[in-house]
Amino acid sequence: MSLDRHLAEIAREYPDWTIWRSDAGRWWATRHHPLSLPEREAGLAMTIDADTPEDLREQLIDQRERADSLGPDP
């Protein structure tokens, strides 16, 4: 699959994040909104990076699960 397609798919799956691939080949995601203190304490991150799009997806899944465990409006 092409890099552009990976980017488009991940961005579609995670609309609250900006997804990109750096010139160095790393995959990155940054949230569109600031995190609250409870979110940060729960291990949520503003920006994550990975070697591959698959690894980035795994981290995004982890971030979603952490956020879901906080319930609505932490």
Side-chain angles (χ1 to χ4, degrees), residues 4-61:
D4 289 339
R5 184 159 181 164
H6 276 296
L7 284 169
E9 284 186 5
I10 296 171
R12 194 170 31 257
E13 291 172 38
Y14 297 92
D16 293 334
W17 295 79
T18 297
I19 311 296
W20 77 96
R21 187 168 182 261
S22 71
D23 292 341
R26 303 265 316 150
W27 290 79
W28 295 84
T30 298
R31 291 181 189 275
H32 293 173
H33 67 85
L35 295 172
S36 67
L37 180 59
E39 288 173 322
R40 290 191 310 267
E41 289 174 344
L44 274 66
M46 276 301 298
T47 302
I48 55 177
D49 68 309
D51 291 326
T52 67
E54 293 80 12
D55 290 343
L56 185 65
R57 250 195 194 101
E58 286 178 22
Q59 289 190 52
L60 287 163
I61 289 167

